[in-house]
């Protein structure tokens, strides 16, 4: 009985530490978050809770990714992926694959990014997670745009936009609109690019997200400047 009580107490402490770590991460207090995740990770390992171990590894990986410490992020994501595969956590596996794909995309390792996004998309589709499916579509679209494969990018961004609209995820909807705007811009269809940027900016404004609104409006302003320069020449 005492053994079970000790394990329960440790598990409770690990859960509390994990919650605190997540709060610090949301506040961008990454040093404090890492300390809490690391402490919870050791408890999960000591009591043999593999699900808890995977969750802590994922949290650490997310911090390293946001800090652009991609080597450490990949190590933690990969350990997490192994555990979630072994314990049959398909939803957790899909989310971890998305994290790995995001790292590969920003590192221009596009072939691996497509592989990870595609596996994530398949799982999210099979388990019926619409938001997860749309996020994977967005990721694939961004890779195709980076490869100058504009027709594929446009189709995938549009599919993601439709899902985000359906589930009323306004922030992600704006991100998809911005992606469509980028794709038009890259093809020098400047009027269409401005149209989609302005739609995205309006949503960010309605959400009270001044930072992203300013970011998108700056893109629209740059496109207008390029258009004026082309007319002048």
């Amino acid at each position: 009985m005492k053994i079970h009580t000790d394990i329960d107490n440790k598990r409770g402490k690990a859960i509390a530490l994990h919650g605190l770590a997540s709060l610090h991460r949301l506040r961008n207090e990454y040093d404090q978050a890492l300390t809490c995740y690391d402490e919870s990770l050791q408890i999960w390992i000591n009591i043999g809770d593999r699900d808890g171990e995977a969750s802590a590894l994922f949290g650490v990986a997310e911090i390293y990714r946001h800090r652009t410490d991609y080597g450490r992020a990949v190590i933690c994501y990969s350990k997490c992926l192994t555990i979630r595969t072994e314990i049959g956590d398909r939803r957790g596996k899909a989310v971890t694959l998305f994290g790995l794909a995001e790292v590969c995309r920003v590192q221009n390792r596009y072939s691996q990014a497509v592989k990870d996004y595609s596996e994530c998309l398949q799982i999210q589709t099979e388990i019926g997670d619409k938001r997860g499916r749309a996020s994977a579509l967005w990721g694939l679209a961004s890779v195709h745009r980076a490869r100058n494969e504009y027709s594929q990018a446009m189709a995938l961004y549009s599919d993601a936009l439709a899902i985000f609209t359906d589930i009323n995820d306004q922030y992600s909807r704006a991100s998809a609109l911005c992606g469509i705007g980028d794709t038009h811009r890259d093809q020098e269809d400047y009027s269409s690019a401005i149209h989609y940027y302005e739609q995205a900016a309006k949503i960010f404004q309605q959400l009270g997200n001044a930072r992203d609104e300013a970011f998108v409006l700056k893109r629209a302003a740059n496109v207008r400047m390029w258009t004026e320069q082309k007319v002048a020449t």
Side-chain angles (χ1 to χ4, degrees), residues 36-176:
C36 292
Y37 277 133
D38 285 340
E39 193 172 345
S40 69
L41 176 61
Q42 289 307 311
I43 296 173
W44 293 128
I45 292 171
N46 290 339
I47 66 176
D49 188 320
R50 304 203 74 204
D51 181 58
E53 181 182 353
S55 295
L57 284 166
F58 182 83
V60 172
E62 288 282 280
I63 289 174
Y64 284 136
R65 178 167 68 86
H66 287 296
R67 280 182 158 179
T68 69
D69 188 346
Y70 297 127
R72 290 183 180 180
V74 168
I75 290 171
C76 292
Y77 279 133
S78 298
K79 289 179 179 178
C80 177
L81 181 64
T82 297
I83 294 171
R84 285 178 163 167
T85 300
E86 290 175 353
I87 66 176
D89 178 4
R90 300 193 74 209
R91 187 181 300 277
K93 180 178 180 179
V95 172
T96 308
L97 283 164
F98 184 83
L100 281 167
E102 289 283 274
V103 171
C104 291
R105 179 173 62 82
V106 298
Q107 291 185 315
N108 301 329
R109 294 192 290 124
Y110 296 135
S111 295
Q112 186 61 44
V114 168
K115 180 176 179 295
D116 291 337
Y117 280 132
S118 297
E119 189 174 356
C120 170
L121 176 61
Q122 181 180 349
I123 295 171
Q124 299 287 28
T125 301
E126 289 172 355
I127 66 176
D129 187 326
K130 288 185 177 181
R131 180 173 281 104
R133 173 177 166 76
S135 295
L137 287 166
W138 181 93
L140 282 169
S142 298
V143 172
H144 283 296
R145 184 176 68 81
R147 285 176 159 179
N148 302 325
E149 298 164 351
Y150 298 124
S151 59
Q152 298 98 312
M154 194 68 76
L156 290 162
Y157 276 132
S158 297
D159 287 345
L161 176 62
I163 297 173
F164 286 135
T165 301
D166 182 56
I167 64 175
N168 197 32
D169 183 340
Q170 293 300 309
Y171 179 87
S172 298
R173 182 168 174 255
S175 296

Side-chain angles (χ1 to χ4, degrees), residues 141-224:
S142 298
V143 172
H144 283 296
R145 184 176 68 81
R147 285 176 159 179
N148 302 325
E149 298 164 351
Y150 298 124
S151 59
Q152 298 98 312
M154 194 68 76
L156 290 162
Y157 276 132
S158 297
D159 287 345
L161 176 62
I163 297 173
F164 286 135
T165 301
D166 182 56
I167 64 175
N168 197 32
D169 183 340
Q170 293 300 309
Y171 179 87
S172 298
R173 182 168 174 255
S175 296
L177 286 166
C178 187
I180 293 173
D182 288 340
T183 306
H184 282 298
R185 179 202 61 193
D186 293 347
Q187 297 176 93
E188 299 186 4
D189 182 356
Y190 295 140
S191 61
S192 295
I194 291 170
H195 170 72
Y196 283 100
Y197 286 145
E198 288 179 342
Q199 284 191 59
K202 184 177 181 180
I203 294 172
F204 285 133
Q205 182 186 49
Q206 292 169 346
L207 293 172
N209 189 326
R211 186 190 65 177
D212 287 332
E213 179 193 359
F215 177 78
V216 177
L217 287 174
K218 184 176 180 181
R219 289 194 175 186
N222 287 338
V223 170
R224 285 193 183 91

Side-chain angles (χ1 to χ4, degrees), residues 19-36:
L20 188 57
S22 299
L23 181 61
H24 283 305
R25 181 160 64 88
L26 287 172
R27 291 175 172 173
N28 299 324
E29 298 166 351
Y30 294 137
D31 288 336
Q32 298 96 314
L34 275 176
T35 298
C36 292

